Amino acid sequence: MILSISGVVLLGIIVFLFFRKDGLKASHALVCALFGFYLAGTAIAPSIKAGGQSLASLLGGIKF
């Protein structure tokens, strides 16, 4: 749950920065949000979630 909330916040910040700096139009952001919303209801959603968790654990294991 914490991973998904922080992921949403991170992606929200990225979208905001694209919107402010790189000329992302509001309609593009809306289409991306709707795509993510509908993608979450498909059969591939568990694979995407598992991939995200795997990436998070990989990044969490990096020692500097």
Side-chain angles (χ1 to χ4, degrees), residues 22-42:
D22 292 336
L24 178 71
K25 295 181 181 175
S27 61
H28 296 152
L30 179 64
V31 168
C32 290
L34 287 174
F35 175 70
F37 178 77
Y38 287 117
L39 185 63
T42 64

Side-chain angles (χ1 to χ4, degrees), residues 13-25:
I13 290 170
I14 291 170
V15 168
F16 177 75
L17 290 175
F18 281 160
F19 183 72
R20 296 288 294 166
K21 302 291 183 192
D22 292 336
L24 178 71
K25 295 181 181 175

Side-chain angles (χ1 to χ4, degrees), residues 53-64:
Q53 289 174 342
S54 175
L55 180 64
S57 67
L58 176 72
L59 293 175
I62 294 176
K63 305 237 188 288
F64 291 102

